[in-house]
Amino acid sequence: MVRKMGVYAVLAFCLYGLFFYWYLFHFANTTLPFEYQGSKADPSTFLNGRELSLSEEYSKVRNLLFFLSTPFEWLFYFLILLFGFSKAFKRWADSSTKYKVLQMPIYLIWLSFFAFVATFPLNYINYSLSKTYHISTQSFPSWMKDELIDFWISYGTWLIIVPVLYWLMKKSKKRWWLYGWMLSVPFTLFMMFLQPVVIDPLYNDFYPLKNQELETKILALADKADIPAKHVFEVNMADKTNAMNAYVNGIGSSARIVLWDTTLNRLNDNQILFIMAHEMGHYVEKHIYFGIAGYLLLSLFGLYLTHRLMNWAIKHWGKELKITDIRDIRSLPLFFMILSMLLFVSSPLSNLVSRYEETRADRYAIEMTKNPEAAITSFQELSRSGLSQVNPPLLVKIFRYTHPSMLDRISMLEEYEIKHRHK
């Protein structure tokens, strides 16, 4: 029975992968609707033939890797349970030390290490792909350093969360998910506060914007929007990527507006001011706080469903999965698998909300700067630097896009330009 379940799981993953290969490479239509052809949203008007071809090639492979990577995690955790590796990790942890307080961290390091090794090939293919298409400029040692930082941050975070969750399970088998969620609220806020000042600097160097004249213009925009900003931060990304980005993160006194140096190098002042106005739109409309509230609400339902699904799975397949009780640390791969599934299933909703907020920020930015030409050309340059599809396939947009497609963003700006041309 165990072998049969393993074969079915691998077969299901292969069929799933074949479906998305067929969908992305043979079925999905990314050509522009007739009414947008020749407009400023038409990539043929701002990309040359080679760039158009590379954009399509790169996007298809990158999207396929995205759709393969998350279900691969599910398959990994399922096989870890099915073939007794979780049981083995527990045995190795117990035999390594007589101190119970150290046994769970040892179990977790074994599980984390095997997960890192299993997912490394896909991560490396992603890195190699971005190098091939000249998106990434990062050396392998630098990339490997970031991967290891990711590993230890993830391990450290789960080392805090997992012991607390399993302690709560032992105290209250029926209500652990609720108590865990209540503790997650201050923990989430604390991590949001730490992100820009502790975690992000582990990967890159951050410093106040060196272009004082540009910073003065940005701070004037911030003052116009009643944003108490004192600095705009610049981050060195040119050694890692040719892509461009700007973002706002953190909460309270740790909140930062950040520009990648690649953005500064490739866009002019007017284009950068539009991008900064976009980020200010997020601040003014409190999108960060709405995002936190939405995340916490989803996590409440997610933990409840995880509780129900874990108990259901153990009841029906506990023998095959080598788990007799949800409170046994050997059930952790099942917890991770179900949590990952729920995040994937909920991503269309969270992405839809995010795209709405990004559209609001775009509208705020164009109303503030009133420079549609700078806005449109900045999006065109973003498309070029990241080789992103202007009109992505529907399933890609639903599951991947936290921002509107470039077709949606540029066409909205073009409508604004036409509407206000004679005013």
Side-chain angles (χ1 to χ4, degrees):
M1 182 61 179
V2 168
R3 183 177 296 179
K4 187 180 291 186
M5 290 175 68
V7 170
Y8 286 158
V10 172
L11 182 61
F13 177 76
C14 292
L15 291 174
Y16 166 90
L18 287 172
F19 167 77
F20 271 102
Y21 175 82
W22 168 79
Y23 175 77
L24 294 169
F25 285 83
H26 299 288
F27 178 78
N29 183 11
T30 59
T31 57
L32 254 61
F34 175 79
E35 61 268 27
Y36 295 106
Q37 292 178 14
S39 70
K40 293 180 180 179
D42 186 343
S44 64
T45 64
F46 60 88
L47 298 179
N48 60 41
R50 176 169 172 75
E51 288 169 336
L52 280 170
S53 176
L54 289 176
S55 173
E56 283 299 311
E57 290 175 10
Y58 176 66
S59 295
K60 285 176 181 178
V61 180
R62 184 182 58 171
N63 290 332
L64 179 62
L65 289 172
F66 165 80
F67 282 111
L68 289 177
S69 60
T70 302
F72 182 78
E73 287 182 24
W74 310 342
L75 179 64
F76 165 77
Y77 287 125
F78 182 69
L79 295 180
I80 283 285
L81 289 167
L82 202 61
F83 292 107
F85 285 99
S86 184
K87 188 177 180 180
F89 298 158
K90 178 68 165 59
R91 188 172 63 250
W92 297 345
D94 291 348
S95 63
S96 298
T97 178
K98 62 181 179 179
Y99 300 106
K100 288 189 177 296
V101 71
L102 296 177
Q103 290 171 358
M104 190 174 291
I106 293 172
Y107 171 91
L108 190 58
I109 196 70
W110 276 114
L111 180 61
S112 300
F113 173 74
F114 271 69
F116 178 82
V117 170
T119 56
F120 183 83
L122 277 176
N123 292 336
Y124 178 76
I125 291 170
N126 258 314
Y127 161 71
S128 181
L129 178 72
S130 61
K131 285 279 286 186
T132 301
Y133 284 86
H134 303 292
I135 303 298
S136 173
T137 58
Q138 191 173 16
S139 67
F140 177 78
S142 173
W143 175 78
M144 197 66 217
K145 176 188 171 184
D146 286 352
E147 289 291 298
L148 291 174
I149 292 173
D150 283 344
F151 172 85
W152 287 112
I153 289 175
S154 176
Y155 175 75
T157 304
W158 285 116
L159 191 56
I160 296 170
I161 296 171
V162 170
V164 172
L165 280 180
Y166 277 81
W167 179 79
L168 289 172
M169 287 178 187
K170 290 176 182 177
K171 292 295 181 182
S172 177
K173 190 175 180 180
K174 292 183 178 180
R175 295 284 183 269
W176 67 267
W177 58 273
L178 179 60
Y179 303 138
W181 177 80
M182 291 169 67
L183 289 175
S184 77
V185 175
F187 182 75
T188 299
L189 296 176
F190 178 66
M191 291 301 291
M192 288 281 295
F193 184 86
L194 283 187
Q195 183 76 34
V197 294
V198 175
I199 297 175
D200 288 349
L202 294 173
Y203 296 89
N204 299 97
D205 295 326
F206 291 76
Y207 33 81
L209 188 61
K210 289 180 286 189
N211 187 332
Q212 295 295 308
E213 183 180 347
L214 178 59
E215 184 177 47
T216 300
K217 294 178 182 177
I218 293 172
L219 292 178
L221 270 184
D223 183 63
K224 184 179 176 182
D226 294 323
I227 298 173
K230 295 182 180 178
H231 293 290
V232 176
F233 287 86
E234 179 180 343
V235 57
N236 61 321
M237 291 296 296
D239 291 339
K240 294 185 177 183
T241 183
N242 285 317
M244 298 186 292
N245 195 17
Y247 61 88
V248 56
N249 69 345
I251 56 174
S253 61
S254 77
R256 285 183 174 181
I257 296 176
V258 178
L259 271 166
W260 287 9
D261 58 352
T262 50
T263 306
L264 293 164
N265 296 337
R266 297 183 67 160
L267 299 184
N268 62 41
D269 283 7
N270 287 332
Q271 292 168 328
I272 291 171
L273 287 174
F274 170 78
I275 289 174
M276 286 291 93
H278 171 96
E279 299 304 329
M280 291 173 193
H282 287 306
Y283 181 93
V284 169
E285 300 205 355
K286 297 180 171 55
H287 289 161
I288 291 177
Y289 297 100
F290 284 122
I292 293 171
Y295 166 79
L296 291 174
L297 184 62
L298 279 176
S299 67
L300 175 61
F301 287 107
L303 281 172
Y304 171 71
L305 288 173
T306 301
H307 157 71
R308 295 297 299 269
L309 290 171
M310 283 183 75
N311 281 302
W312 178 81
I314 292 172
K315 180 180 177 181
H316 288 81
W317 295 303
K319 182 180 178 181
E320 289 78 9
L321 299 177
K322 283 74 173 177
I323 311 169
T324 57
D325 194 321
I326 190 175
R327 295 168 292 186
D328 189 333
I329 188 60
R330 289 176 294 182
S331 69
L332 185 59
L334 180 63
F335 174 83
F336 283 156
M337 182 179 73
I338 292 173
L339 201 62
S340 178
M341 287 177 169
L342 292 176
L343 284 171
F344 186 77
V345 169
S346 66
S347 62
L349 175 61
S350 57
N351 289 346
L352 180 65
V353 173
S354 178
R355 289 196 297 271
Y356 170 77
E357 291 180 343
E358 294 296 336
T359 300
R360 295 276 300 179
D362 282 348
R363 293 189 183 279
Y364 179 91
I366 194 60
E367 290 293 344
M368 174 175 270
T369 59
K370 300 189 184 302
N371 191 339
E373 182 61 28
I376 290 169
T377 53
S378 67
F379 283 151
Q380 290 174 339
E381 192 60 34
L382 281 168
S383 298
R384 177 181 289 108
S385 67
L387 292 180
S388 56
Q389 288 174 307
V390 170
N391 185 33
L394 179 61
L395 290 181
V396 173
K397 184 175 180 179
I398 289 173
F399 282 96
R400 286 208 68 185
Y401 274 48
T402 56
H403 290 60
S405 68
M406 285 302 179
L407 173 62
D408 294 332
R409 303 181 88 172
I410 294 175
S411 59
M412 183 274 289
L413 292 169
E414 200 167 15
E415 287 173 11
Y416 176 92
E417 183 180 39
I418 293 169
K419 183 178 179 181
H420 292 80
R421 183 173 292 163
H422 302 297
K423 289 188 178 181

